[in-house]
Amino acid sequence: MTKDEVRAGLEFFRDLGIKDIYRRQPAPAAPVETTRAEEPAPHAALVNIAPKTELPGLAPENDTLERILSDIGDCTRCRLHKGRNKLVFGSGSSEAKLVFVGEGPGADEDEQGFPFVGRAGQLLTQMIEGTAAKEGIPLKRPDVYICNVVKCRPPENRTPEADEMEICGQFLFRQLSVIRPKAICALGSTAAKALLGGRDGVTRLRGTWHKWRDTPLMVTYHPSYLLRPYNQNAKRESWDDLKKVLHFVYD
Ligand code: SF4
Ligand code: URA
């Protein structure tokens, strides 16, 4: 393998969100010549260190949403499974031209098993359908696809941690790869971080087009943020962002 091939391989993993391929995927033991079976190989202790968490497998060919859901199964790949009532996979059309990505389920979503069904969800629905109607675009919430970075509710609605986002993010990437929307709208900085990497917040990223792999991606404020009374400017800005997205996708 040339240096360039190694670098390309590492970039591939980095694009998949896998930062630490060494720790998580320990190399198989090199064949060791042993004559006496009872004598452990000198590096056995090192080789047997189990990865701390198990990453979901790479996307299989002909992947489908059903396949992803069945691969998630009764998932215990990260600590968020402990507080979960219902796993929240996603909702909407598998043929959607537009996908919204939130952070993770809240209390209502955890109870019902569907994304964005609480107060923030009502605002999101209103924003999608209200903006579409005003702009003369015949679009209802079920026409788009909505999901989250993590599928299980973080305790006390805390922000998902880096390793949780990395592990569960693989399922999000598969969902996006199956749906292949014309555009993605990342709601809030957790979704932006999961899809774009980097540390920039919404204020910096919003309003202009970015890319997740080859798909145009718009970042805007999370609807929970807009529910706070002092963020009226942000509300106007996120309507602007949404208008841009809807015209790009549906004109
Ligand atoms: Fe599995 Fe994702 Fe739930 Fe973690 S958050 S347990 S990775 S489904
Ligand atoms: N907030 C999110 O980020 N996702 C939901 O599904 C609900 C609230």
Side-chain angles (χ1 to χ4, degrees):
M1 216 190 249
T2 68
K3 235 184 193 169
D4 281 343
E5 282 169 337
V6 172
R7 192 177 307 126
L10 287 173
E11 277 168 9
F12 172 72
F13 278 108
R14 200 192 50 206
D15 287 345
L16 289 169
I18 302 169
K19 287 185 214 85
D20 196 354
I21 62 171
Y22 300 110
R23 184 161 52 80
R24 293 183 194 288
Q25 304 195 332
V32 179
E33 263 189 65
T34 42
T35 40
R36 285 182 295 173
E38 66 274 19
E39 218 172 68
H43 301 302
L46 285 176
V47 168
N48 286 335
I49 295 171
K52 221 166 62 181
T53 44
E54 186 199 333
L55 280 173
L58 298 180
E61 261 182 71
N62 305 317
D63 206 8
T64 62
L65 292 179
E66 290 73 24
R67 172 94 187 252
I68 302 166
L69 185 59
S70 109
D71 285 351
I72 292 181
D74 195 10
C75 186
T76 58
R77 292 173 180 86
C78 87
R79 65 184 79 76
L80 293 180
H81 80 276
K82 291 183 201 154
R84 162 180 87 215
N85 181 23
K86 284 195 176 141
L87 194 144
V88 179
F89 181 65
S91 72
S93 167
S94 60
E95 320 234 290
K97 291 191 169 72
L98 175 59
V99 175
F100 288 87
V101 179
E103 177 172 306
D108 295 304
E109 291 76 20
D110 174 67
E111 203 171 283
Q112 297 178 43
F114 298 102
F116 284 100
V117 291
R119 231 156 73 80
Q122 282 168 26
L123 178 58
L124 179 63
T125 308
Q126 215 179 301
M127 286 173 67
I128 295 170
E129 299 193 350
T131 312
K134 227 188 249 168
E135 299 298 308
I137 299 164
L139 180 77
K140 293 287 177 195
R141 172 171 159 149
D143 301 325
V144 304
Y145 191 82
I146 303 178
C147 61
N148 286 302
V149 175
V150 295
K151 311 304 189 211
C152 304
R153 182 192 180 197
E156 317 292 334
N157 299 335
R158 69 158 167 76
T159 307
E161 285 171 16
D163 60 335
E164 296 158 356
M165 287 168 58
E166 190 181 336
I167 297 166
C168 209
Q170 308 300 306
F171 297 122
L172 170 65
F173 295 169
R174 283 175 63 185
Q175 285 172 299
L176 293 171
S177 303
V178 163
I179 298 171
R180 289 167 40 84
K182 193 166 171 196
I184 299 165
C185 184
L187 302 167
S189 52
T190 300
K193 191 173 177 189
L195 293 168
L196 297 176
R199 293 183 203 180
D200 287 341
V202 177
T203 325
R204 223 170 232 287
L205 294 169
R206 63 153 290 275
T208 57
W209 288 103
H210 304 269
K211 266 191 177 175
W212 178 76
R213 302 194 184 163
D214 286 329
T215 307
L217 181 148
M218 178 71 70
V219 177
T220 196
Y221 297 102
H222 192 287
S224 303
Y225 178 77
L226 301 175
L227 284 171
R228 298 173 206 160
Y230 43 85
N231 294 328
Q232 292 314 302
N233 268 352
K235 218 170 196 167
R236 207 162 13 86
E237 288 173 328
S238 65
W239 290 96
D240 286 345
D241 299 339
L242 200 54
K243 243 190 274 180
K244 230 180 249 182
V245 172
L246 293 183
H247 281 298
F248 173 78
V249 174
Y250 295 101
D251 276 358

